[in-house]
Amino acid sequence: FLWFNYGEENKKKYQVIPRFTSVINIYSKDKLDVFQEIDDVKRRDIKKVFSNKDYAISSKIDLNLMKNFYINTMIRNKGSYSKYAFDKIFDFFEIQSKNNKLIQNTTYYLGQPLYSVLFLNDNDSSCYVYGAGNVEIKNRYAGSLALWKSIEKSIDQGLKYIDLEGINSPFRGEYKLSFGGNLQTYFQVNI
């Protein structure tokens, strides 16, 4: 495909960019099996938080919380995004929420929301869509707990795979791979 229209003037050429994701196979596995595949440090962190009464997790779908966390993260990091596309995707999430196709878990510490993770499901798999947190509070456990609870919910729903989409940067890649997934390559094709 890289050679498509090669040598042809005035014909479209394509740019193929490799991308990477982490896929966790949860088919016919129970929570303990999947938990054992997580990196030792992450398992210890999750166990530590489970034993601390100051932490709580909510499975309530709260798209406004996720939107605010994401927008504040983009502002803090001087990131850019299309407000139009962002609003459209959240309109889509609203519809999917009514169809029970979303999983959202939010970690709270002393009653305050710290970090939230949003997954979108189909009949076989669950895909990590957004994860964002309170930019004012740094907490190394909050994201891991929210992500693990979303993995558990995917197992409870009898799904086969979890795609932790977006491991194209070294730090995000290392973090998401620590949850026991396998590195998968896919391609972004641009005209």
Side-chain angles (χ1 to χ4, degrees):
F1 188 75
L2 292 171
W3 295 92
F4 187 76
N5 285 335
Y6 179 78
E8 301 286 330
E9 286 193 36
N10 302 321
K11 291 216 176 173
K12 292 182 180 179
K13 306 291 189 287
Y14 294 87
Q15 179 185 30
V16 179
I17 302 166
R19 297 288 188 191
F20 305 94
T21 191
S22 176
V23 176
I24 303 170
N25 180 351
I26 58 173
Y27 185 65
S28 297
K29 293 183 181 177
D30 63 25
K31 293 175 194 174
L32 184 58
D33 291 336
V34 176
F35 190 73
Q36 292 304 323
E37 293 174 2
I38 294 175
D39 173 83
D40 292 342
V41 174
K42 286 284 175 268
R43 276 198 321 263
R44 280 194 303 272
D45 286 351
I46 293 166
K47 286 178 182 178
K48 182 176 183 175
V49 174
F50 277 143
S51 66
N52 186 331
K53 293 183 286 183
D54 293 334
Y55 286 90
I57 192 87
S58 170
S59 296
K60 177 184 173 219
I61 303 295
D62 186 346
L63 295 176
N64 284 329
L65 175 72
M66 179 58 75
K67 282 175 89 170
N68 289 332
F69 276 174
Y70 183 81
I71 289 167
N72 290 335
T73 298
M74 294 301 283
I75 291 168
R76 167 69 60 95
N77 295 327
K78 296 179 175 68
S80 63
Y81 65 97
S82 163
K83 183 176 175 356
Y84 174 79
F86 186 70
D87 289 340
K88 291 303 249 180
I89 193 78
F90 272 88
D91 290 344
F92 173 74
F93 291 154
E94 192 69 48
I95 294 166
Q96 296 312 306
S97 174
K98 292 174 183 160
N99 295 326
N100 295 317
K101 295 291 184 181
L102 286 182
I103 294 173
Q104 182 176 0
N105 282 287
T106 304
T107 303
Y108 289 78
Y109 182 73
L110 298 173
Q112 192 166 28
L114 295 183
Y115 201 89
S116 195
V117 173
L118 185 67
F119 281 27
L120 179 64
N121 302 337
D122 62 19
N123 294 332
D124 292 324
S125 62
S126 201
C127 184
Y128 180 104
V129 183
Y130 284 109
N134 184 330
V135 295
E136 302 301 321
I137 302 170
K138 292 287 182 198
N139 183 297
R140 78 175 246 177
Y141 306 112
S144 296
L145 180 59
L147 183 53
W148 169 246
K149 294 307 274 184
S150 297
I151 292 169
E152 279 188 325
K153 184 87 170 180
S154 298
I155 295 167
D156 289 342
Q157 291 183 2
L159 300 173
K160 297 177 182 174
Y161 301 97
I162 298 170
D163 183 347
L164 294 182
E165 174 58 42
I167 63 167
N168 297 303
S169 72
F171 297 120
R172 212 169 300 130
E174 182 180 340
Y175 174 75
K176 289 183 178 178
L177 282 169
S178 72
F179 281 86
N182 294 308
L183 185 64
Q184 300 284 321
T185 306
Y186 66 98
F187 299 93
Q188 177 182 337
V189 179
N190 298 324
I191 294 178

